[in-house]
Amino acid sequence: MTNRELDAAGAFDPVLRAAYAECRRLNARHGRTYFLATRLLPLDRRSAVHALYGFARRADDIVDENGSASAEERAAALDVLEAEWRRALRGRAVTDPTVTAAAHTRARLGIPARHFDDFLASMRSDLFVKEYPTYADLRAYMHGSAAVIGLQMVPVLGTVVPREEAEPYAAALGVAFQLTNFLRDVGEDLDRGRVYLPADLLAASGVDGELLRWSRRTGCHDRRITDALRAAASLTRDVYRDAEPGIDLLDPVSAPCVRTAFVLYQDILAVIEREGYPVVHRRAVVGARRRASIALPGLTRAWVARAGWRTGSAAAGGGPGRAVSGARGPGGREGADVRERS
C-alpha cells in the first residue's frame, strides 16, 4: 500500500497505517479477483476496500479453521473478534489490525454499524448450520454473509443517485459473488462438513448431501450432480442479471472497478460450465492471463473516467465527493451535494 493511498484515506497514525497494510496483504493473498478489481479504484477508495475485506477475511478464517478447534472454540474466538469490534466502535484502541482499519473506514464513510452486526451473525451461524433446506433459507444467511458486504461498499464507491436507490443492486451483486464462490468451492465446503447449495435445488435433480459426499469421497461422477450444478449456475446468472443495472448508478470513477469484478466473477462460472462442472472434485480456476485480459479494459475505462472527473471537478472547483451521493473526503467531511458484507 502506497503512502499516497494511506494519506488519501486519512490514515496518518503509524498504527493505523500498519493496520491498513495488513488488510491489503490479506486481500492480495486471498482475494485475487477482488484485489485485481480494487486496483482500478481511485487512490482514496482502495484502502477502504482493503479494510472491509480484511475484517471479513479475519472472521471467515476463524469460522473455517481447519485445525483441531471445535465449533465452541471457534465461537469463543469469534467472541473475541466481536468484542474487539465493539471496543473499536466506542473509539477505544484494539489489537486486531483488521478491526482497527475496518472501524476507521466505517467511521470515515458513515457505514451503518448494523451491516457489521448482520455479518458477524451470519459468520456465527456458519459454526453450527451445515445445510440449508431451501433457497429462501440460504438467502436469509446470505443477507449477512454477502448482501451486507455490497451495502458496506456503496459509501466507498459513491453513487450518482440517492444511495438507497443503488443499495438493492449492490446487495444483489454481493449475493451473486457469493453464489459463485459456493459453486466454485463445493468440494472444499464438503470437506468442512458444509453444503451451501440448497436442498430443494439439489432435490429437483435427485441429489442430496449424501450423494455429494459419496462423489467427493470416491472421485466418481454422477449425471444428477452435474444437472444440479447446472441449475445452481443458472440461478446465479439470474442474480447477476438482477444486479447489473446498479453498476450504472455508481460514481463513474468507481464503476469500472465493479464492472471488472462483475465480469471476472462471471468468468469463474464460465470456466465451471466449460469444464463440465468439476467442482465436487476440484476448484475451477481462471488463469492469471485471462484475469489480466479482463482487467485491462477496466483499467482503460477507469483512466478515462478519472480524467473526465478531474476535468469536471476542476471546472466546478469541487473535490472528490462533490457530485457523488455518499462520498466523503479523507477527513470524513461530506461533499456539498451529499445527502451507509459482510
Side-chain angles (χ1 to χ4, degrees):
M1 182 172 293
T2 67
N3 288 332
R4 292 175 61 207
E5 289 175 357
L6 292 168
D7 291 345
F12 302 108
D13 178 79
V15 173
L16 185 58
R17 292 171 84 87
Y20 273 110
E22 169 64 7
C23 290
R24 184 187 187 279
R25 186 190 66 78
L26 289 170
N27 196 353
R29 179 178 178 183
H30 298 288
R32 290 179 298 175
T33 298
Y34 205 63
F35 180 79
L36 182 59
T38 301
R39 299 301 298 162
L40 305 182
L41 285 173
L43 284 173
D44 63 331
R45 308 186 193 193
R46 294 177 194 171
S47 59
V49 180
H50 296 321
L52 296 175
Y53 180 93
F55 179 72
R57 184 75 208 187
R58 183 76 83 216
D60 195 57
D61 284 347
I62 290 172
V63 170
D64 286 342
E65 168 63 47
N66 286 323
S68 58
S70 66
E72 290 73 20
E73 289 169 330
R74 283 177 282 157
L78 199 59
D79 287 342
V80 172
L81 182 69
E82 186 165 1
E84 286 256 286
W85 175 251
R86 301 294 172 207
R87 283 196 293 272
L89 289 183
R90 297 194 298 271
R92 297 173 60 184
V94 296
T95 59
D96 190 303
T98 69
V99 173
T100 298
H104 179 264
T105 290
R106 191 210 72 79
R108 181 169 71 93
L109 298 177
I111 304 173
R114 68 178 181 275
H115 295 331
F116 297 88
D117 294 339
D118 291 345
F119 168 73
L120 289 169
S122 280
M123 292 300 97
R124 193 171 300 281
S125 75
D126 254 336
L127 296 171
F128 304 102
V129 179
K130 303 301 181 184
E131 298 186 13
Y132 294 87
T134 69
Y135 182 54
D137 294 319
L138 182 64
R139 283 298 295 251
Y141 162 77
M142 288 192 296
H143 167 74
S145 64
V148 298
I149 302 300
L151 295 174
Q152 289 172 13
M153 285 294 296
V154 173
V156 178
L157 300 171
T159 61
V160 294
V161 297
R163 190 179 292 172
E164 58 270 19
E165 292 183 23
E167 287 181 335
Y169 299 103
L173 189 56
V175 169
F177 287 167
Q178 184 160 67
L179 286 171
T180 303
N181 289 341
F182 286 161
L183 191 58
R184 180 196 63 191
D185 298 339
V186 167
E188 295 175 16
D189 288 330
L190 284 167
D191 293 342
R192 298 186 180 106
R194 300 195 193 111
V195 178
Y196 283 109
L197 301 182
D200 58 352
L201 181 147
L202 296 173
S205 298
V207 177
D208 58 16
E210 186 54 41
L211 183 61
L212 289 174
R213 287 185 282 273
W214 167 83
S215 180
R216 176 70 171 175
R217 183 174 64 252
T218 65
C220 296
H221 296 265
D222 188 293
R223 177 186 55 78
R224 293 170 294 176
I225 294 176
T226 301
D227 290 344
L229 296 174
R230 184 179 293 112
S234 177
L235 173 65
T236 303
R237 289 201 182 278
D238 287 343
V239 181
Y240 276 111
R241 279 190 287 272
D242 291 341
E244 185 172 14
I247 300 175
D248 291 334
L249 305 183
L250 298 174
D251 179 357
V253 300
S254 297
C257 163
V258 179
R259 176 69 66 182
T260 298
F262 181 87
V263 175
L264 283 168
Y265 268 89
Q266 286 196 92
D267 211 43
I268 296 172
L269 283 183
V271 171
I272 291 171
E273 292 163 344
R274 186 166 61 248
E275 295 182 355
Y277 304 91
V279 292
V280 173
H281 307 112
R282 61 179 177 83
R283 172 188 277 208
V285 176
V286 178
R289 181 175 298 178
R290 171 62 178 169
R291 289 200 306 272
S293 72
I294 294 172
L296 184 58
L299 181 60
T300 301
R301 290 193 295 270
W303 281 340
V304 170
R306 287 179 213 171
W309 172 83
R310 290 189 189 101
T311 301
S313 178
R322 183 164 292 276
V324 182
S325 173
R328 294 174 184 247
R333 178 173 53 84
E334 295 185 347
D337 296 331
V338 171
R339 293 186 320 267
E340 205 178 104
R341 156 273 167 71
S342 156

